[in-house]
Amino acid sequence: MTTVPRNVILVGFMGAGKSTVGRLLARRLGRCFVETDAMITAREGRSIPEIFEARGEPYFRQLEAEALEALSDKRDHVVATGGGFPCESGVMDRLLQLGTVVWLAADFEAAYARANRIGGRPMLAGRSAEDAAALYRVRQDVYRRAHLALDTTRMTVDAVVARIVRHLRDRERRAGPPPSSEALPAATSEVSGNGRPAVDHPTAVGERRDREA
Ligand code: S3P
C-alpha cells in the first residue's frame, strides 16, 4: 500500500497555463481537479481581485495557508496552485511531500502577456513589466525545486499533459507497482483535447475568472 499521497501539484507564474493543463491532466488521469484560488473564492464568496481590494495581500496569503491545510487531506488529486502559493515560507517543502510537484515554466513574456490578456490578477495591477519580471525571477528560485520542470512556452497542452503522465509512470515504476486499480493510463494512449499551445489559450482561464466574478 502506498503511503505517499499521489497528488499532482502544478506550480508556476501567473499565465503559465496551470488551470488549462491541470483540467486536462485530471481528465486524462481520471482524478479530481482542484484549484487553490477556487478553494479560496468558494470559501470567501468573492473573487480574488475583490479579496485583495477589501483585505489586501497578507489576508489572501493567510487564506492560501488555510488552503494548504485543506490540501493535506487530498489523495489522488490534480491541484493547480496560484502563482504565489508555493512562495511563502515552508510551503514548497510541504507541497513536495503532498505529491509530485510540476513546474510549468513558461517564458516571462508569454506568461505575462497571457495573464494580462485574461486580467483579474491583482499582483500585476499597478506593477510595471520590470517589476513583474523581478517577481518572476525571485519566484523561479522556489519553483525550480519542483520534481519536474517543463518549459511549456512552445509546447501544446496535450504535449505537456503527456509529458507529465510519462513522468508519473516513471516515478511509479521506480517506487514499485501500485495496486492494479490505481495504475496510471499508458502515456501513449489518446489524450482528449487538441494541439493548442499550453500558454496561449485564454479560454479555460477566462472561464475560471467568469466563475469567480
Ligand atoms: C497570484 C496568482 C494568482 C492568484 C492571486 C495571486 C500570485 O493565481 O492566486 O491573484 O501571487 O502570483 P494564478 O497564478 O492562477 O494567476
Side-chain angles (χ1 to χ4, degrees):
M1 194 184 97
T2 176
T3 53
V4 180
R6 299 187 331 144
N7 300 301
V8 182
I9 301 164
L10 304 178
V11 302
F13 201 67
M14 293 168 271
K18 298 173 298 249
S19 304
T20 311
V21 168
R23 197 169 289 120
L24 186 59
L25 178 66
R27 204 184 311 151
R28 174 84 170 80
L29 296 174
R31 297 190 188 180
C32 292
F33 175 57
V34 291
E35 295 179 270
T36 57
D37 280 357
M39 292 165 77
I40 288 169
T41 55
R43 201 202 112 136
E44 290 289 293
R46 50 186 168 177
S47 71
I48 302 288
E50 285 167 348
I51 295 168
F52 270 77
E53 170 80 23
R55 306 291 303 269
E57 186 184 347
Y59 179 71
F60 177 74
R61 300 300 170 200
Q62 202 179 302
L63 297 173
E64 286 192 319
E66 289 167 25
L68 177 64
E69 285 311 306
L71 284 185
S72 303
D73 296 333
K74 306 267 184 245
R75 293 285 180 280
D76 295 340
H77 280 55
V78 174
V79 183
T81 59
F85 192 91
C87 303
E88 297 298 300
S89 173
V91 174
M92 192 59 160
D93 291 322
R94 189 77 194 105
L95 294 180
L96 290 164
Q97 293 166 349
L98 289 177
T100 301
V101 180
V102 179
W103 174 25
L104 302 188
D107 279 357
F108 170 71
E109 284 74 20
Y112 181 69
R114 182 174 188 262
N116 271 321
R117 193 166 61 234
I118 297 162
R121 260 73 176 205
M123 291 299 289
L124 296 180
R127 242 197 182 92
S128 66
E130 290 71 30
D131 285 352
L135 183 65
Y136 174 89
R137 278 194 299 275
V138 167
R139 287 181 170 183
Q140 279 192 314
D141 287 341
V142 177
Y143 300 148
R144 75 174 79 257
R145 296 183 57 210
H147 296 112
L148 173 67
L150 291 176
D151 182 352
T152 59
T153 310
R154 273 162 284 277
M155 287 174 83
T156 64
V157 176
D158 286 350
V160 173
V161 167
R163 181 68 191 81
I164 295 171
V165 171
R166 183 148 47 91
H167 177 84
L168 295 173
R169 291 175 71 228
D170 290 346
R171 277 198 106 191
E172 210 163 65
R173 200 176 304 122
R174 283 196 301 272
S180 59
S181 62
E182 292 181 16
L184 290 160
T188 48
S189 55
E190 197 192 332
V191 177
S192 60
N194 58 36
R196 63 185 188 262
V199 294
D200 194 27
H201 194 273
T203 314
V205 180
E207 284 166 4
R208 182 182 58 137
R209 299 290 160 195
D210 290 348
R211 257 208 339 266
E212 286 173 8

